[in-house]
Each structure stands twice: as C-alpha cells, then as structure tokens.
Amino acid sequence: MAGRAVGARLEGAVMLALAFMAVLVVATAVVVVPLLIEQRMAGQRATDDSALGTFARILLGVLAVLFVSTVPRGSLVGLLVLAPPLALFGPWLAARHVFIPLGLPRAAYGAARRSLFAWPADPRGGAALAAAWALCRARRPDPEAEAWVSELLDRDAAAPPGAGAAAMRRASLGGAGVAAGAMLAAYRGDQEGARLLFESVRTLDPRACPREARRVAAGWLAAEAASRGDWPAVLERAREGGGRALSLLGAVAARLLGEAPAPGALELWLRWLAAPHRRATLPLVRRALAAGEGAPPPQPEEPEPCAAKVAEGDLWSRAVLLHATMLLRPRGKVSGDDLRRLGGAWDAALDDERAQAELRERAQLLGASGAQAALGPLSRAVEEDLAAALRAARVPREAWDDLGGTIGRTRRRLRDELLSEVELACDALRRRVDEKRELPALSEWREWISLRAQYEAAAALAGAEFRRLAFPKVHADVCHAAVWLFNARKERAIANAMFRWLLAEAEALEDARLAGLQRGNVGCGV
C-alpha cells in the first residue's frame, strides 16, 4: 500500500510538472517568440528592459513562490518545476556568486556564456565581463589568465570569417564588452582608462547595453570615487541606482556632504547589513555616523604657500608674488578668482608708467634696445604659465574669464593650442579610416572616447567659442568614422553612440543641418 501511495504521489507530481511546463511553453510562444521575430525583422538586439526581460522576472517570481510553498511539504513538484528555469538562470547565479568571488575567470566565462537571460542585449560581452571581473578578484596576479581574457575580448568582439550580417551584429561590441574592457584596464592598473571606459557604458543605447553592465559600471565608478574622497561623484552615481553596495555608498556620501534628507543612523546600519563586503565598509559607516546628520564636516583652510608682504604701490612685486603663489599651489588647487586676480595684477604692472620707466632705465644699463624687448618675452611667459595652470586645474571658462588684457591673450593662446590638438586627433582618425586600418572593436571605442573626452575638456576650458570653431571638423571626421564602423565593420552599437553624441552637440550649437543629418543616422538603430 505504501509503495502504491508513493508511486501515485510521484505520478501526480510528474503530471503536474508536465502540465505546468506545457503552460510555460505556450506562454513563451505567445509572449516571447513574436517579440524575437519583431526584433529580428527590425535588425535589433534583444534588451533586458523589453517584454522578454519582464516575462523572465515574472516567471522567476512565480516559480519561487511555487518552490517555497511545495518543497517544505515534501512535494517533488517544486523541484521538477524549478529544474528547467535553474538551467536557464543558474549559470549566471553561479558565475556571479561563486566563480567571480573565487577569482576563476574561465569558470565564470563558461557559466555566464551559458546563461540565456542574464545578458540578452550582449551575451558575448557579458561572459567576457564575468571573466575580467573574476580576474580582478583573483588572489594573486595571473599573467596567463590576463592574456587569455585579453584575447577573449578581441575574439568575442569579432565575427568569424565569412559570417553573415546577422552573425556580425551579434558579435559586435556592446555595453557589457565595454565594461569587460574597463575591468581588464583596472586589473592592469590603468585607473584613468578604466574610468573612461566605465563612464562610456551609459552612453550606449540600452538596446545594446544590458542593465547589469550599467550596474557594474556605476558600482565601480562609485567605489573608485570613494577611494579618492570624491563624495559628490559618489552621490551622483548612487542617484542612478545600481545595487546594495551603491546604495550604501550613496547614504555615506549624503551624510558626509550634509545632503538633505540625510539617512538616519538606523537606515545607514540597515543598508550596511544588506550590502556586501561589510568588513571593508564598516569604517566608512562609522565615519558617516560621526559626521552627524545634515552637517557637512568643516574643511581645514590650507595655508598660503607664499605669505611675503609687498610695499604699497609696488605693482611689479605684487604681480610676481601672486604669480609665484599660483605656481606653488598643488595641482588642481588654482581657482578662477586666483587667475582673475593674477591677470589683473599683471595688467596693472605692465601698463604702469613708473614700471615702464624703470624698464627703460634697466634696458639702457644692460645695453638692450628698449623696454618692449624685455616686456615681450615676459608677457609670453606669463601667458604660458597661466594657460598651463588652467589646464592643470581644469578651471571652467566661466570661472576665470574677464576683459583684462593678460587674461584675453591667455584665452586666445589656450584656444588656439586646444584647437590644434583636437584637429590633430581628428586628422589621425580620418587618415586611419581612409586607409582602412582596422582596430579591434574595443580599441576603436577607446580611440573615440579619448577624442570625445579631449574635445569636452577643451570646451570646458575655452567655452562656446571653441565649440563653434572645432565642431565642424570634429563632426566631419567622427561621422566619417562612425559610418565606416556601422556599414563596413557592423559595429552598430558604438557607431550609434557616436551618432547620438554628434546629434546632441549639433543641437546644443543650434546647427539645424548637422542635427537633421544625425537624426537620420541615429534612426538607423543598433
């Protein structure tokens, strides 16, 4: 009797599981298959924000409830029903929570590559990201594994020879592949390169950039900013959202900066308990608690590096003293007020009649031709120092611009230098594209984001005038490269990101013709 009861129970469990799987197959056919056909006809990638991702999350929730409600009662239905979804989602869970923390790149890559729903927008890039992430978590350097991951990025970003257009689109670089390259750069100690690559992840179209890649990028950027004490940047990243660790760092940043509403002590401790790496983040939590709620910590005033006094009316000594003070300041500590004050001091010194008379007298004693022979090199040296200080401190144009002669000449000098540098970079890109010298997709992307960062930094220093002068050249060469990447290389995701940046810049500069051109390019999709 007992054997028959067990057999009947097992048979019932199997029948129920089969019925549930039949419903699942029908639901998949009704919801997912039409979506995939539509995306294939449109030549687009799947996206984890689409109905496919929503359907997967709802299905996981239903299966979890079923499993919790049946397994404790000894029913086999939960196990039988949960087995197929585990085959789909289990590989990424194993990669994320087992192989990556253990620092096993090959195992992490293999598991992530077999996950069907974790990286729908960039499956190859997701597997490469898992491998690079695991490499960063390894306990000791492994040159062989590093070379393998580097080769993996180049190989997975290229379709095999003779592949069709659809295969080339699937193999092209996406957001997860960019994040994988950033993780590898971080492993190699290239923090600036990793920062640029991680920041570029969010510039890619969501159809080519999985949400998990954006989350990983935001988390790394926030952690890196926290390590430098850049808490405003941490708070900015936390507002984008990206997991438990980022939520904790955002709460710590809010308390340290005195941002309202600052999280209370209880909320901070709860976020700490929910976040990973609790031992490493405990000192940050204690520091945030000590900072109080809503009160930013006092910033110690830095002493002036040069505190010498000058006589009243001694314009030359005052200008030289301010100049020396600026040169002695730490890198990045020069403000717009410092530059305006220094420019005004040099204007007053160079235009002073008494100073001119002293220069003429000294020129006669030294046998020079006149005061202007000494003033010319001095003025150029002052402008060069001011331009170098502006570059080092990255002082925005609006913070230091004025109508003074010295500042005006410095502005023109700086503008011309920046224009020449950006034009040289554009010429190099144009020449390589014309010669059809292909780079790996990730290297193509790095060249683009480096040029974009150079242009944006120059625009911040030199203002709208620089943008109006430089953009026609930048637009022509970057658009030429993006069209080549889109049509010939089939790197549609990164080409689309380039088109979108060109569109935003054309609209900002109110160039209707170029904006219309880029709207058409962006409309070609990814």
Side-chain angles (χ1 to χ4, degrees):
M1 295 293 291
R4 291 181 180 178
V6 172
R9 186 177 178 183
L10 180 60
E11 182 180 357
V14 172
M15 294 303 295
L16 183 58
L18 291 175
F20 186 86
M21 292 305 299
V23 173
L24 176 62
V25 170
V26 173
T28 303
V30 171
V31 177
V32 178
V33 172
L35 176 66
L36 294 177
I37 293 175
E38 179 182 356
Q39 290 176 337
R40 176 62 62 85
M41 293 178 64
Q44 297 176 353
R45 304 167 185 246
T47 169
D48 51 355
D49 290 326
S50 64
L52 182 63
T54 303
F55 176 75
R57 288 190 287 272
I58 294 174
L59 176 61
L60 274 182
V62 172
L63 292 176
V65 172
L66 179 63
F67 179 75
V68 171
S69 62
T70 56
V71 171
R73 295 183 298 175
S75 173
L76 297 177
V77 177
L79 290 175
L80 292 174
V81 172
L82 199 62
L86 280 177
L88 298 177
F89 294 93
W92 171 242
L93 296 176
R96 175 65 183 86
H97 299 289
V98 179
F99 300 134
I100 290 176
L102 290 177
L104 303 174
R106 288 179 173 80
Y109 175 83
R113 193 70 181 88
R114 287 163 178 78
S115 179
L116 301 182
F117 286 96
W119 304 94
D122 189 7
R124 292 174 178 266
L129 174 57
W133 197 353
L135 182 66
C136 290
R137 298 290 296 273
R139 295 184 178 180
R140 59 180 63 91
D142 189 343
E144 183 179 349
E146 177 189 349
W148 176 77
V149 173
S150 179
E151 180 184 356
L152 189 66
L153 284 171
D154 292 340
R155 185 177 72 239
D156 276 4
M168 293 180 73
R169 282 198 300 271
R170 287 194 297 271
S172 62
L173 183 67
V178 173
M183 199 70 76
L184 184 60
Y187 174 80
R188 291 170 170 170
D190 181 10
Q191 296 297 309
E192 184 62 27
R195 189 182 306 117
L196 280 175
L197 283 169
F198 273 126
E199 287 176 347
S200 72
V201 168
R202 60 180 176 178
T203 66
L204 290 159
D205 192 289
R207 291 171 293 177
C209 185
R211 179 179 297 176
E212 183 70 8
R214 294 174 181 264
R215 189 193 68 80
V216 171
W220 188 94
L221 289 168
E224 191 273 338
S227 69
R228 293 184 284 109
D230 189 356
W231 295 108
V234 174
L235 192 60
E236 179 184 355
R237 298 295 175 187
R239 285 169 178 162
E240 300 174 6
R244 297 166 295 155
L246 192 54
S247 175
L248 172 63
L249 288 176
V252 170
R255 287 184 67 98
L256 291 177
L257 295 173
E259 289 285 335
L266 178 59
E267 180 183 352
L268 192 62
W269 281 118
L270 290 176
R271 293 195 191 194
W272 175 76
L273 288 173
H277 312 298
R278 285 183 288 274
R279 180 179 299 177
T281 55
L282 182 58
L284 286 177
V285 173
R286 288 174 173 166
R287 179 183 169 190
L289 290 171
E293 298 184 27
Q299 299 294 329
E301 295 185 2
E302 295 184 3
E304 287 289 339
C306 184
K309 301 297 182 180
V310 296
E312 185 69 24
D314 190 348
L315 301 179
W316 278 102
S317 297
R318 180 173 182 270
V320 171
L321 176 63
L322 289 175
H323 199 105
T325 301
M326 182 198 70
L327 295 178
L328 289 173
R329 284 186 179 275
R331 179 181 176 87
K333 295 297 184 180
V334 178
S335 68
D337 290 336
D338 296 330
L339 293 166
R340 281 198 298 268
R341 191 181 306 116
L342 178 56
W346 277 116
D347 286 339
L350 294 172
D351 295 338
D352 183 53
E353 290 296 334
R354 187 173 59 180
Q356 296 280 352
E358 289 179 0
L359 280 177
R360 283 193 295 270
E361 183 179 347
R362 290 187 182 183
Q364 290 177 356
L365 292 174
L366 296 174
S369 58
Q372 292 302 323
L375 282 177
L378 175 63
S379 179
R380 288 192 294 271
V382 168
E383 294 162 17
E384 290 174 359
D385 283 349
L386 283 171
L390 281 167
R391 282 175 174 263
R394 298 180 180 180
V395 182
R397 164 74 175 270
E398 59 273 10
W400 59 272
D401 196 13
D402 67 9
L403 300 178
T406 301
I407 289 293
R409 291 189 298 272
T410 300
R411 181 180 65 242
R412 290 189 291 273
R413 175 186 292 272
L414 182 62
R415 181 202 63 195
D416 293 343
E417 290 177 358
L418 294 172
L419 274 173
S420 297
E421 292 170 3
V422 169
E423 288 174 356
L424 284 174
C426 289
D427 287 339
L429 175 63
R430 181 86 179 211
R431 186 165 51 252
R432 185 177 62 78
V433 172
D434 288 342
E435 295 172 359
K436 304 251 182 327
R437 288 187 281 115
E438 297 184 359
L439 298 176
L442 186 60
S443 297
E444 296 278 7
W445 180 249
R446 294 192 73 157
E447 183 177 17
W448 153 240
I449 62 174
S450 176
L451 174 57
R452 187 192 68 197
Q454 183 180 0
Y455 173 90
E456 291 175 348
L461 287 174
E465 182 186 16
F466 168 86
R467 294 170 69 186
R468 286 192 295 269
L469 292 172
F471 184 65
K473 170 70 172 174
V474 172
H475 177 276
D477 294 337
V478 171
C479 185
H480 180 62
V483 169
W484 176 63
L485 288 170
F486 192 95
N487 292 328
R489 300 285 305 276
K490 303 303 178 185
E491 292 292 346
R492 297 190 171 185
I494 60 178
N496 176 267
M498 296 163 74
F499 291 142
R500 287 168 53 179
W501 183 87
L502 291 172
L503 172 60
E505 189 67 7
E507 290 177 340
L509 295 174
E510 300 180 349
D511 192 323
R513 183 182 65 84
L514 296 183
L517 173 64
Q518 293 310 321
R519 287 192 192 97
N521 289 336
V522 171
C524 294
V526 296

